[in-house]
Every structure is written in C-alpha cells, then in structure tokens.
Amino acid sequence: MSDHERLDDGAPVLPGPPPPVPDLDAVSASVERRRRATVPVPEELERPVETDGATAVLAVDDVAVDDVAVATAHEAPQRSPRPVVGPWALGLAIVSLAASFVGGWMLPLGLVAIVTAIVASRRPVERRGIVVWAIVLGALSVLYSAGWLLWAASRAGLIG
C-alpha cells in the first residue's frame, strides 16, 4: 500500500496486522449475562447461541448486540385486539328493532342481539356505549315482537 491511500472518511490507511478476534464464547457469555441482568426476556423468546467456529449468531429476536457486546432490548409494539363483537350486537339489535315494528317474527334475532351484547360486555376491548345500546335496543325489539305475537295470538283466539 502506498502512503497516499485513504479511507472514505479521509483517514490514512495504516498497514499492520488486523485487530484480534475476540473469544466468541466469552462474548456470548457476556452478552447473555448483561441481557439477563438488564432485560427480562420471556422463556418462549430465548434461543441458544449457535456458533459455526468462526462467527457467533445470536438467534434472539429482541436483542441487538453492538461491537462492545452490550445487549439492548426493544419490544415490538403490542397490538390490542379490535372490538368485533359489540358492533355486531348493535347491528343485530337495530335490525331486529326495525323488524319488530312490522311484526313479531324477529323475536329470536332480538334475543341473539342481547346474548351477543352480553358476551361483548365481558370483553375488556369492547366499547361500553355500544354494548349498552345493543342491550337496550335488543330488549326493546324483544318487547315489541312479544307484543305483536301476543296481539296475533289473541286475534287468533289462542289466548283469552
């Protein structure tokens, strides 16, 4: 190499032996000690360190290792489950209420809306306002449908 050769950042290239390669077992043990001491990792995420004799590969998804063997962990953002039962219960309640103004044949749909809203009320991700409206509208549809069915039964002479 000549004296006028320089690296991309302008520093001169110095001849000499390459820097020593650190002991991979010691680096892996140091990383593992620091990782366990600083960041608790769930057991299902832990994986052993695999070596092929020349390089060490850390196969842990949430740990990054830099040149001085300091492990830093980052957590992936947790996605909260979307509310899916409450809106369905409200939709069923609205349809059954609209149909109960015409006749009593949608009484089962009103009952399904109430049961679905009760199931949704037990989930922590559901919006309470939607669940309450689904229960109220479902109960109204059951009352209107039952009124229609009682009226039709009395007209048919089935009851008193």
Side-chain angles (χ1 to χ4, degrees):
M1 284 191 221
S2 65
D3 292 335
H4 65 279
E5 290 184 23
R6 297 194 180 272
L7 296 176
D8 290 339
D9 62 354
V13 176
L14 300 176
V21 176
D23 180 21
L24 296 179
D25 293 330
V27 169
S28 298
S30 172
V31 168
E32 185 66 23
R33 276 194 310 274
R34 289 182 184 184
R35 182 177 65 88
R36 289 186 186 276
T38 58
V39 179
V41 177
E43 290 181 14
E44 61 268 7
L45 294 179
E46 290 184 2
R47 293 183 182 87
V49 174
E50 300 172 6
T51 60
D52 62 359
T55 59
V57 177
L58 281 177
V60 178
D61 295 335
D62 65 340
V63 176
V65 180
D66 61 8
D67 293 336
V68 292
V70 175
T72 59
H74 58 352
E75 293 183 16
Q78 296 289 333
R79 294 175 57 186
S80 62
R82 293 177 40 185
V84 293
V85 181
W88 279 101
L90 183 60
L92 288 173
I94 290 171
V95 168
S96 65
L97 181 63
S100 70
F101 289 135
V102 178
W105 50 274
M106 290 300 262
L107 182 116
L109 188 62
L111 293 174
V112 169
I114 292 172
V115 170
T116 307
I118 290 172
V119 168
S121 71
R122 298 185 183 269
R123 297 184 65 201
V125 296
E126 299 289 344
R127 294 176 53 191
R128 295 292 170 224
I130 291 176
V131 170
V132 169
W133 275 107
I135 291 173
V136 169
L137 295 179
L140 280 175
S141 74
V142 167
L143 287 175
Y144 279 126
S145 294
W148 273 107
L149 292 175
L150 287 174
W151 178 79
S154 69
R155 297 290 285 174
L158 298 175
I159 57 173

